[in-house]
Amino acid sequence: MYESLFTPLRVGGTELKNRVAMVAMGGTAPINMHQMTFIEKIRPFYLERCRGNVGLIIPGVTGVIEGRNRGGFKEAEDIFRGPIAKLMDEVHSYGTKYFMQLGAGFGRAMFAMPELDPELWHQIAVAPSDDMPNVWEPDMKHRGLTLDEIEDIIEAYGRAALICKESGMDGVEIHAVHEGYLLDQFTVANTNHRLDRYGGSLENRLRFPTDIIKEIKRTCGKDFTVSVRYSVTSKMRGFNQGALPGEPYVEFGRSMEESPAVARALVAAGADMLNADNGSYDAWFWAHPPMYMPLACNLPEVSFIKQFVDVPVFCAGRMETPEIADEAVRSGKIDGIGVGRQFLADPLWLNKIREGNKADVRPCIACHNGCFAMAHRRGVDFKPFKMAHCAINPACNEEESYILKPAETKKNVAVVGGGIGGMETARLLALRGHKVTLFEKTGELGGVFIAAAAPSFKEKDKELIAWYIKQVKDTGVDVRLNTEADAETLKGFDEVVIATGASPRQLPIPGFNGPKVVEATQYLRGRAEVGDRVVIIGGGLTGCEIAYDLALKGKHPVIVEMLDMLLKVPGLSAANYNMLFEIIRYYNMPVHLNTALAAIAEDGTVSVKGPDGNIFEIPADNVILSVGYVPSAPLAEALKAAGMDEKKIHVIGDAQKVGNLQSVIYNAYDVAYAI
């Protein structure tokens, strides 16, 4: 099936076996240039994706210069000629090709470090021009690169590309005239105010990346393949202002009108491929699309640019839906697709769709929680976590740690609760050879995640629920719906896993359970109608997503949050919260911060205490409560009272500690692997 995706394609001097590339993601490079070490875990990660039939691997970006006084790639030659060259042989044994992604730096998109000595900041914080504002901390400014520094970077690209070629790599990708990184900043008039040969006219602004392409070709030969990561448009309304899909705006960065000339210039310089999407760090949700972005969100712009160049054009950005991807390639809109996160969620997804087993593909839900949970703003710490991991697939980038082995002793195990945690545990236990019975007190599987998946923009969440239900059935789990398990029911089981979730938090507020009040999951399940004016108590992720859902339905939400900012959620990716902030801005939603709920009247009017300590009222037809949950597992105590060995009782997920989908699934893996 979807045969157009599996036809060969020539890119420069390289023949790809199919039209699917695993595009660059942080955490997928084979070398740590700071420590000058080969990353051992990357080998099983790559080879699992090779077994999944990926045509081209492009790893996360590696800088060509690692500081002013270091030799960069030159210092790493032994690693490239040794373990990386051996790894290339293994990758090639599957027919997969490999382009190393080489970067010039972040420019104004580098993570701000206010704690640094000002002189050191001045040294490392570069941009095309002086006084460019940092993306993360706009009050911090960057200086313009000197001509000597530009020439150093151009030469370093040539040296790095040659080392890559000699290690057996099939090509390199220049990162990036893309996403608002340093090279992209040079190409955009509003971020390049230079007056020398690298600024001013479009030709001059493109000179830095085109000189890099020419240097690589000069050093490595014209047949060595060069891809360019390319943003067709920047989607910027201004500094730190992104444009939403379909929103009328004036482009502050690269426009659709200018983009064809840029693309033609890159190809004229020697680029063999454009690996394209949209966006910048100021509009990060285009280059790292969360679930609020449409599927194939970048396809219109990328297919537009293809008509202006005669080299292959790949499109990235939620392109994993096979029907969309197949039609786009078959019709000639694009030449191939770039996919990142779906290869994390399910490394074998390509094999499955080709074999007609689409329902067995574990879908990426675009949450960014495992792969790119990076935030850097006031009140939320920058936490790189484990990049290129996956919230729904703990084995991603941990392949050797999560080898699924048959259980030494086959047991009769009960799993209580048919939510994601319960289904994941039951599935894994059955795969390990245990006899598993899953008890769910309602008539459906999915638990609270059914509510989370309810909004129209959560189509992949719905697919994930369907995937779990199918896997539970296919692994032979005995599912008992409409059955509330108790101590008597669970007699005779060797082990019991309790995955019954959490209970909505109750607050001692007058009117908290009044007639106009709706709990978040009740609203999301469609079990309570709400009027036009809706006050949402709680500005966390669920509250803001409910506000978006209400706005899409034409209603007028108001958000009340007791903290000093919305979405103060640890581990929430910047791409996700940036887009939600833009959504709140676009729909002109009133937001009250540092504001505490005081009372809810019978007619829905909400009384709140503002940051000045004064009480004021917000009129409302209904109030939706999104104030969090508390863990609850009374069954565990009942089992202990009935005499069950405490070591045989396992409380997991939100029943143990309220978290997110990632914490639930990882907890399920740990328990299922231990039994």
Side-chain angles (χ1 to χ4, degrees):
M1 298 183 70
Y2 313 113
E3 283 306 307
S4 72
L5 299 178
F6 299 98
T7 57
L9 176 68
R10 176 156 288 277
V11 179
T14 305
E15 181 83 12
L16 303 182
K17 67 177 179 179
N18 63 36
R19 308 296 184 99
V20 184
M22 184 177 80
V23 291
M25 295 170 281
T28 62
I31 186 170
N32 184 322
M33 293 292 283
H34 298 289
Q35 299 175 2
M36 289 295 166
T37 55
F38 175 69
I39 300 172
E40 297 288 347
K41 287 199 301 185
I42 209 65
R43 179 184 175 276
F45 172 82
Y46 285 167
L47 298 185
E48 185 71 359
R49 277 78 198 162
C50 289
R51 283 187 280 272
N53 202 26
V54 63
L56 171 64
I57 291 175
I58 306 173
V61 63
T62 298
V64 296
I65 292 180
E66 294 293 317
R68 305 307 308 151
N69 299 316
R70 297 188 58 184
F73 270 65
K74 191 68 178 173
E75 293 184 12
E77 271 195 273
D78 289 346
I79 298 173
F80 276 85
R81 297 182 190 282
I84 290 180
K86 181 180 178 182
L87 178 58
M88 290 303 102
D89 289 339
E90 293 181 284
V91 167
H92 290 149
S93 72
Y94 290 90
T96 300
K97 305 299 183 183
Y98 189 99
F99 294 173
M100 188 76 168
Q101 191 181 74
L102 305 176
F106 286 85
R108 58 178 289 268
M110 74 178 290
F111 291 108
M113 293 175 276
E115 70 279 3
L116 280 188
D117 177 82
E119 288 189 12
L120 180 56
W121 173 258
H122 180 76
Q123 179 183 353
I124 66 175
V126 297
S129 314
D130 290 338
D131 296 323
M132 279 292 114
N134 182 269
V135 170
W136 306 95
E137 295 284 353
D139 292 339
M140 300 183 72
K141 305 300 182 183
H142 291 239
R143 67 169 177 86
L145 276 176
T146 67
L147 286 173
D148 285 346
E149 288 172 324
I150 292 172
E151 290 171 4
D152 284 349
I153 291 171
I154 293 170
E155 291 174 7
Y157 261 98
R159 290 194 302 271
L162 183 59
I163 291 170
C164 290
K165 179 182 179 180
E166 292 173 345
S167 74
M169 295 179 184
D170 304 284
V172 294
E173 178 166 276
I174 295 173
H175 189 269
V177 187
H178 172 259
E179 201 179 340
Y181 281 79
L182 180 62
L183 292 183
D184 202 22
Q185 293 159 34
F186 267 82
T187 69
V188 170
N190 278 318
T191 52
N192 183 348
H193 302 156
R194 299 179 74 98
L195 300 176
D196 59 18
R197 66 182 185 274
Y198 289 101
S201 68
L202 180 61
E203 180 183 3
N204 282 355
R205 285 185 274 120
L206 289 171
R207 192 179 305 279
F208 197 0
T210 55
D211 279 358
I212 287 171
I213 298 171
K214 293 172 184 176
E215 177 68 10
I216 293 172
K217 290 291 186 176
R218 185 191 69 79
T219 306
C220 299
K222 63 182 179 62
D223 292 332
F224 187 62
T225 307
V226 176
S227 169
V228 176
R229 194 78 166 103
Y230 182 60
S231 292
V232 179
T233 61
S234 303
K235 300 295 184 181
M236 294 169 64
R237 295 181 296 110
F239 287 126
N240 292 84
Q241 298 176 63
L244 293 172
E247 176 183 8
Y249 75 106
V250 176
E251 180 62 71
F252 186 79
R254 180 161 44 258
S255 67
M256 284 284 278
E257 292 75 22
E258 186 180 61
S259 196
V262 178
R264 285 194 296 259
L266 295 171
V267 173
D272 299 301
M273 167 179 158
L274 296 181
N275 183 10
D277 58 9
N278 290 299
S280 67
Y281 267 77
D282 303 87
W284 218 24
F285 44 86
W286 285 92
H288 297 275
M291 67 280 290
Y292 321 116
M293 289 291 283
L295 299 173
C297 53
N298 297 311
L299 184 58
E301 290 82 1
V302 176
S303 59
F304 167 79
I305 209 68
K306 175 175 161 52
Q307 63 186 309
F308 298 99
V309 296
D310 58 0
V311 299
V313 175
F314 276 53
C315 179
R318 305 202 76 189
M319 286 299 299
E320 69 273 11
T321 302
E323 293 81 5
I324 297 173
D326 179 64
E327 191 280 330
V329 173
R330 181 165 32 84
S331 65
K333 293 177 183 176
I334 54 175
D335 299 290
I337 63 170
V339 176
R341 293 169 291 172
Q342 183 56 58
F343 277 109
L344 306 183
D346 190 337
L348 305 180
W349 72 279
L350 270 182
N351 291 342
K352 293 175 183 178
I353 65 167
R354 192 174 196 184
E355 295 162 0
N357 298 324
K358 180 185 172 185
D360 285 320
V361 174
R362 176 165 40 193
C364 166
I365 61 172
C367 67
H368 284 120
N369 284 347
C371 59
F372 217 51
M374 297 205 315
H376 189 73
R377 57 193 172 119
R378 293 178 179 88
V380 180
D381 292 335
F382 165 60
K383 296 181 179 179
F385 290 44
K386 293 180 178 178
M387 297 177 72
H389 287 63
C390 182
I392 60 176
N393 177 19
C396 174
N397 234 327
E398 300 289 345
E399 282 76 13
E400 294 184 343
S401 299
Y402 280 99
I403 296 172
L404 191 68
K405 298 178 181 178
E408 293 182 5
T409 303
K410 305 300 189 290
K411 296 181 178 181
N412 186 16
V413 185
V415 178
V416 182
I420 298 296
M423 287 193 288
E424 183 65 279
T425 308
R427 177 184 78 89
L428 293 168
L429 288 169
L431 288 172
R432 296 191 63 225
H434 295 295
K435 180 182 178 182
V436 185
T437 305
L438 176 62
F439 295 93
E440 169 53 45
K441 69 178 181 180
T442 72
E444 58 189 347
L445 295 176
V448 72
F449 202 65
I450 299 174
S456 60
F457 47 85
K458 294 289 193 78
E459 60 273 279
K460 291 294 180 178
D461 284 14
K462 297 179 182 68
E463 288 183 20
L464 183 63
I465 294 172
W467 181 83
Y468 269 113
I469 292 172
K470 184 177 188 301
Q471 302 313 304
V472 165
K473 177 182 177 182
D474 291 351
T475 52
V477 174
D478 179 6
V479 178
R480 301 186 186 181
L481 300 177
N482 299 303
T483 305
E484 186 164 5
D486 55 20
E488 184 65 27
T489 309
L490 299 173
K491 281 183 178 178
F493 285 96
D494 299 317
E495 310 246 359
V496 175
V497 179
I498 299 172
T500 49
S503 302
R505 187 182 303 278
Q506 294 290 311
L507 300 178
I509 302 292
F512 191 77
N513 295 305
K516 298 292 186 178
V517 178
V518 179
E519 200 275 321
T521 57
Q522 295 301 304
Y523 163 75
L524 290 167
R525 292 300 306 272
R527 293 172 176 168
E529 294 292 327
V530 296
D532 176 62
R533 299 172 303 171
V534 183
V535 172
I536 302 162
I537 307 299
L541 185 58
T542 300
C544 290
E545 288 184 347
I546 287 174
Y548 182 30
D549 185 65
L550 288 165
L552 289 173
K553 294 172 180 175
K555 299 183 184 296
H556 295 85
V558 177
I559 303 174
V560 173
E561 170 56 55
M562 66 184 300
L563 299 178
D564 60 349
M565 66 186 303
L566 296 179
L567 297 167
K568 205 166 187 176
V569 181
L572 180 62
S573 174
N576 294 47
Y577 68 64
N578 283 349
M579 186 165 185
L580 280 172
F581 279 135
E582 294 291 358
I583 286 167
I584 290 167
R585 181 267 310 167
Y586 178 75
Y587 286 100
N588 197 26
M589 299 178 193
V591 175
H592 299 279
L593 300 176
N594 292 306
T595 301
L597 177 64
I600 304 172
E602 287 200 3
D603 67 354
T605 300
V606 177
S607 296
V608 295
K609 180 185 288 188
D612 59 1
N614 293 324
I615 300 290
F616 64 96
E617 293 184 342
I618 305 173
D621 299 313
N622 289 97
V623 178
I624 296 178
L625 301 174
S626 180
V627 295
Y629 297 84
V630 292
S632 176
L635 180 58
E637 298 306 316
L639 290 173
K640 293 174 191 175
M644 178 171 274
D645 184 349
E646 187 172 346
K647 295 180 180 178
K648 306 298 183 183
I649 304 168
H650 311 273
V651 181
I652 72 163
D654 287 353
Q656 177 196 47
K657 181 181 179 181
V658 176
N660 57 19
L661 185 66
Q662 178 176 354
S663 61
V664 168
I665 290 175
Y666 278 54
N667 193 188
Y669 263 71
D670 290 341
V671 169
Y673 275 54
I675 292 178

